[in-house]
Amino acid sequence: MLLKTPPLGWNSWNTFGEEINETVVMQSADTLIETGLAAAGYEYIVIDDCWLLRERGEDGRLVPDPVKFPHGIRYVSDYIHSKGLKFGMYSCAGYHTCAGYPASFDHEWTDAATFAEWGVDYLKYDYCFHPKTIPGHILYKRMAAALANCGRDIVFSACSWGSDMTKLWIKETGANLWRTTGDINDSWQSLKALSLVAGDAVRFGSINCFPDMDMLINGMHGKGNVGLAGCTDEEYRLHFSLWALMGSPLMIGCDIRDMDDFTKATLTNPEVLAINQDPDYNQPFDVSPESDPIPWTDTELHSSGEHPIYVRLLSDGDFAIGMFNLSDQPSNRWNTALQLDRIGLPETTGKTLVLRDVWTGEEVIVKGGIFSAVIAPHACRLFRARVIDKP
Ligand code: GAL
């Protein structure tokens, strides 16, 4: 199937982990609608690991845990669809899921058929406990072939954490999304580590094969399965800005039944979501003074500087521009300077940009071909920039 834009939704793992059940899933579907998240575009409700029993049934099929899902999975799926939402599930390319439950290796066709019968629209497919004798690209091809033949459109979300050079082979497998790194947790350390390598992954992304930077931690505030120290509001806003700009799926990870106003306002900002969902997925590129203007030609994992400035050309000719300060000091006019010639708009064109800050609504016209900002530690500015004739 063709996936044109990154999926928006909610996933159970970050908050609930092992504690997943029917009530949580169905209430989260209700909440997606009641809070306006669905109206803003969030449509997938995804059950992650730990939904099943430790053994397959006598018929060889995966069996939902009857305590967690007393009415079975089809019941939950029907409920989610009755709300106009889409339904996602989880399995793994190995013998076991990461939490040790049965997984799909050598059962790909049976499991794809089961997921199709259950009305699944999205499959997250992990990489734990896989046979070391079979390369990752073949494991993902096995499930991709089964899904493509299961009679239902199912978004195939690969989760091999960027390992074994995923970025080099993922597009040939048929996966629609691919996890670029190991797991996020709810702390600035984790957010910074993932942010530093974000630019590396997006070079290998495209429409129908979007880079998945992992589920969101916005609004977790240290609570739940991957809750650690928690982050400040500024840090959560930086997180959402970067993930949106890079074209990552935006899968909410907090307990949305108990979401604070800041989190809701962040997650539903229409201008930020419009950047994420722009129909042209032109790759974001780093134009910070610390970055190298010549694209890398090798395939090593590259880290940006601590002040990346990512730019993305949008379908209507605007630019999305994010200036990030991942360091512990305020940025200055040298390390956070946007030079218009680096995005293809030199002074000789007679053009410049109006930068509209999508968080504050403030507008500023770039003068003299350069715009500098002083950005607080762990904060960012995100703009939608319109091209105008120089005033
Ligand atoms: C990890 C994966 C997480 C979560 C977890 C479940 O491998 O990256 O996102 O799905 O497994 O056990």
Side-chain angles (χ1 to χ4, degrees):
M1 68 163 292
L2 173 63
L3 183 70
K4 293 186 181 154
T5 53
L8 308 180
W10 173 88
N11 174 299
S12 61
W13 181 253
N14 280 3
T15 292
F16 296 97
E18 189 83 46
E19 309 295 315
I20 186 62
N21 60 54
E22 172 186 290
T23 308
V24 165
V25 175
M26 289 164 65
Q27 287 181 353
S28 296
D30 295 341
T31 310
L32 211 60
I33 292 171
E34 286 154 14
T35 53
L37 285 167
Y42 294 88
E43 58 177 348
Y44 290 90
I45 292 278
V46 182
I47 302 176
D48 208 284
D49 204 349
C50 309
W51 57 268
L52 65 176
L53 287 183
R54 297 270 173 192
E55 300 277 350
R56 285 179 179 266
E58 279 174 9
D59 57 359
R61 301 229 166 184
L62 297 169
V63 186
D65 183 323
V67 175
K68 294 175 180 173
F69 294 94
H71 303 91
I73 298 294
R74 181 77 215 199
Y75 173 80
V76 176
S77 165
D78 285 347
Y79 185 79
I80 289 170
H81 288 136
S82 77
K83 301 264 159 183
L85 301 172
K86 292 183 177 164
F87 175 51
M89 289 207 75
Y90 166 99
S91 188
C92 175
Y95 295 101
H96 309 285
T97 73
C98 297
Y101 293 87
S104 296
F105 178 69
D106 255 352
H107 298 272
E108 290 88 353
W109 287 70
T110 309
D111 293 353
T114 305
F115 292 133
E117 272 168 36
W118 287 344
V120 168
D121 305 299
Y122 179 113
L123 180 67
K124 174 173 170 181
Y125 204 54
D126 222 324
Y127 199 47
C128 281
F129 304 114
H130 61 267
K132 302 298 173 205
T133 48
I134 304 182
H137 67 92
I138 293 188
L139 295 171
Y140 282 91
K141 282 168 185 159
R142 290 167 62 129
M143 186 47 108
L147 289 176
N149 286 281
C150 77
R152 192 175 169 87
D153 277 347
I154 299 183
V155 172
F156 188 28
S157 169
C159 181
S160 54
W161 326 297
S163 57
D164 298 337
M165 297 300 246
T166 304
K167 61 191 180 186
L168 298 187
W169 46 258
I170 195 63
K171 283 211 211 69
E172 69 185 38
T173 65
N176 303 110
L177 303 165
W178 54 287
R179 262 281 291 285
T180 56
T181 64
D183 290 16
I184 198 167
N185 64 53
D186 183 23
S187 69
W188 170 249
Q189 284 72 14
S190 171
L191 184 50
K192 178 173 176 176
L194 299 191
S195 298
L196 283 169
V197 295
D200 181 79
V202 296
R203 292 190 298 145
F204 298 90
S206 67
I207 281 183
N208 202 38
C209 202
F210 295 98
D212 175 356
M213 294 163 61
D214 206 353
M215 287 124 13
L216 300 172
I217 53 172
N218 294 79
M220 290 186 65
H221 300 293
K223 286 187 282 193
N225 186 38
V226 304
L228 286 184
C231 294
T232 65
D233 283 350
E234 274 300 355
E235 291 166 349
Y236 284 133
R237 184 148 70 177
L238 177 150
H239 172 40
F240 192 69
S241 300
L242 182 60
W243 266 233
L245 177 57
M246 294 314 224
S248 174
L250 301 173
M251 302 301 278
I252 302 168
C254 68
D255 185 350
I256 50 177
R257 300 169 307 174
D258 179 29
M259 182 174 47
D260 59 282
D261 290 344
F262 180 83
T263 303
K264 184 177 153 192
T266 304
L267 296 173
T268 56
N269 180 309
E271 294 182 65
V272 181
L273 290 171
I275 292 171
N276 179 257
Q277 297 289 301
D278 188 76
D280 284 6
Y281 182 57
N282 294 317
Q283 288 183 355
F285 52 95
D286 186 1
V287 298
S288 77
E290 292 165 353
S291 69
D292 187 344
I294 311 291
W296 310 300
T297 51
D298 61 81
T299 52
E300 292 305 303
L301 183 67
H302 286 268
S303 192
S304 65
E306 289 192 324
H307 310 91
I309 302 177
Y310 289 110
V311 178
R312 185 169 149 195
L313 177 61
L314 302 175
S315 55
D316 65 356
D318 286 0
F319 291 88
I321 302 172
M323 305 173 104
F324 300 88
N325 184 0
L326 304 173
S327 82
D328 297 334
Q329 313 299 326
S331 75
N332 58 48
R333 73 172 89 150
W334 296 282
N335 57 27
T336 318
L338 168 73
Q339 298 157 264
L340 296 198
D341 65 309
R342 295 257 330 250
I343 71 171
L345 272 188
E347 288 279 274
T348 47
T349 57
K351 307 287 180 188
T352 190
L353 291 179
V354 188
L355 304 176
R356 176 180 164 80
D357 186 316
V358 294
W359 292 116
T360 64
E362 185 195 332
E363 295 206 343
V364 50
I365 296 177
V366 178
K367 301 222 171 76
I370 187 162
F371 172 78
S372 292
V374 174
I375 300 180
H378 306 190
C380 75
R381 305 281 304 269
L382 182 63
F383 304 103
R384 185 170 186 122
R386 199 169 71 247
V387 179
I388 55 164
D389 292 332
K390 267 198 246 173

